[in-house]
Amino acid sequence: MSKTPVIFRPIGIIHSEHTNAERTPIQPVYARECMGQAEVFPEFAEGLRDLGAFSHIYLICHLNQAGAPRLKVKPFLQDIERGVFATRAPCRPNAIGLSVVELLRVEGNVLHLAGVDILDGTPLLDIKPYTAKFDRIEITRNGWQDEVDEKTASRRGKRGYSES
Amino acid sequence: MSKTPVIFRPIGIIHSEHTNAERTPIQPVYARECMGQAEVFPEFAEGLRDLGAFSHIYLICHLNQAGAPRLKVKPFLQDIERGVFATRAPCRPNAIGLSVVELLRVEGNVLHLAGVDILDGTPLLDIKPYTAKFDRIEITRNGWQDEVDEKTASRRGKRGYSES
């Protein structure tokens, strides 16, 4: 049945300098200087083979600190209420996080990363390579985000990170 | 605890022309002419507000026909075994699918889509806007995919779809 609950088991855990959700950058683009690691549990380490040749990867996480889901939210970048699926806000019906981070190197079962926008201790559910063939869409309409200028987006997206 | 299982509940279901996994294109880029719908269950429809102004969206699905997970797989595009996390193969430890599809229009709780590479009846877990600010990475190293020429990738990526 299409409404049957789905059970996933974490494949690893995120280590980062972000311990306060209120001061965590909202996306990798606002966290370029934030280093971190994805520690993959040893039983899955074999699945990391060949990953080190990709410069960017998707991390799919369980945002276990997201709080109660809401269907309407004010996104971090703008003070106008939007449908939650038109935002990347964490308080979604299923608290799934999606981040494109830079993969610096792979050491055994540990991925060293830059652009980490994820809270320390967040469970990791999946890793996928980001590839130009599949994921770089050249021309997009970006909805309400096109109303937000780069300077404002950068200031609000960092959530005080670079001023600390 | 970081290894605690995570439970998600589908927010909707995918409708597509793909009823045979063996003949389903492997990614939206090889399924441009494949139309489909994401039917969001009515209780979540309010979360779709403002989404129609985005041209592309991520669909995060539960690949419930993926079969047993494997840590090493031959990707669809190449006959060389790779670590599963260096591929987008469905047979992952957590069978999570990630597709960037084109959003044609929103009608109530139904999203009309192009570039659908997802099997009919697949449970939908989350929808996120794809945005140039967050998701378009201009320069990437693409690992083993850089070894596959476009013509071969297109032929193999369609999995016979366009020849049917």
Side-chain angles (χ1 to χ4, degrees):
Chain A
M1 246 305 291
S2 62
K3 290 199 178 185
T4 308
V6 184
I7 299 174
F8 293 129
R9 289 180 173 75
I11 61 161
I13 186 167
I14 302 298
H15 302 291
S16 79
E17 60 197 277
H18 307 303
T19 54
N20 178 346
E22 304 300 316
R23 290 178 69 79
T24 299
I26 67 163
Q27 281 284 320
V29 67
Y30 308 123
R32 288 284 176 237
E33 68 274 47
C34 301
M35 305 298 146
Q37 296 87 41
E39 176 193 346
V40 173
F41 300 135
E43 60 268 37
F44 301 109
E46 199 178 13
L48 298 175
R49 208 174 67 178
D50 306 299
L51 190 64
F54 292 84
S55 61
H56 292 75
I57 58 175
Y58 285 110
L59 299 179
I60 297 179
C61 291
H62 175 217
L63 304 174
N64 60 347
Q65 306 294 318
R70 283 177 287 154
L71 292 178
K72 289 185 192 169
V73 296
K74 283 185 187 168
F76 294 118
L77 297 186
Q78 200 185 48
D79 294 322
I80 300 173
E81 201 168 61
R82 306 291 183 182
V84 70
F85 298 122
T87 79
R88 303 284 274 261
C91 56
R92 330 176 63 77
N94 291 311
I96 298 172
L98 179 69
S99 297
V100 187
V101 300
E102 188 181 352
L103 178 59
L104 302 174
R105 68 184 189 283
V106 181
E107 262 181 28
N109 64 324
V110 177
L111 310 182
H112 294 267
L113 310 167
V116 177
D117 65 331
I118 305 167
L119 269 174
D120 188 53
T122 297
L124 178 64
L125 300 178
D126 200 5
I127 301 163
K128 297 179 192 288
Y130 180 101
T131 79
K133 275 191 180 63
F134 297 166
D135 304 306
R136 187 190 299 153
I137 310 289
E138 295 298 343
I139 298 170
T140 54
R141 280 185 298 113
N142 309 288
W144 61 265
Q145 280 204 2
D146 283 337
E147 302 168 11
V148 184
D149 66 88
E150 284 296 336
K151 196 173 157 192
T152 301
S154 177
R155 179 174 52 76
R156 297 183 64 145
K158 290 178 179 173
R159 307 188 80 204
Y161 171 80
S162 65
E163 291 132 342
S164 65
Chain B
M1 245 305 290
S2 61
K3 290 199 178 185
T4 308
V6 184
I7 299 174
F8 293 128
R9 288 178 175 77
I11 61 161
I13 187 168
I14 303 297
H15 302 291
S16 79
E17 61 198 277
H18 308 303
T19 53
N20 178 347
E22 304 300 315
R23 291 179 68 80
T24 299
I26 67 163
Q27 281 284 322
V29 66
Y30 307 122
R32 289 286 175 236
E33 66 275 45
C34 302
M35 305 297 146
Q37 296 87 41
E39 176 193 346
V40 172
F41 300 137
E43 60 267 37
F44 301 110
E46 199 178 12
L48 297 175
R49 209 174 65 177
D50 306 299
L51 190 64
F54 291 84
S55 61
H56 291 76
I57 58 176
Y58 285 110
L59 298 180
I60 298 179
C61 291
H62 175 218
L63 304 174
N64 60 347
Q65 306 295 318
R70 282 177 289 154
L71 291 178
K72 289 185 190 168
V73 297
K74 284 186 186 166
F76 294 117
L77 298 185
Q78 200 183 49
D79 293 322
I80 301 174
E81 201 168 60
R82 306 290 182 180
V84 70
F85 298 123
T87 79
R88 302 284 273 261
C91 55
R92 332 176 63 78
N94 291 311
I96 298 172
L98 179 68
S99 297
V100 187
V101 299
E102 188 181 352
L103 178 58
L104 302 175
R105 68 184 190 283
V106 181
E107 262 181 27
N109 65 324
V110 177
L111 310 182
H112 293 268
L113 310 166
V116 177
D117 65 331
I118 305 166
L119 268 176
D120 188 53
T122 296
L124 177 65
L125 299 178
D126 199 6
I127 301 164
K128 297 179 192 288
Y130 180 101
T131 80
K133 276 189 178 64
F134 298 166
D135 305 306
R136 186 190 300 153
I137 310 289
E138 295 298 344
I139 299 169
T140 55
R141 280 185 298 110
N142 309 289
W144 62 264
Q145 279 205 3
D146 283 336
E147 301 168 11
V148 184
D149 67 87
E150 285 296 336
K151 195 174 158 191
T152 301
S154 176
R155 179 175 50 79
R156 297 182 63 145
K158 291 178 179 173
R159 307 188 80 207
Y161 172 80
S162 66
E163 291 133 341
S164 65

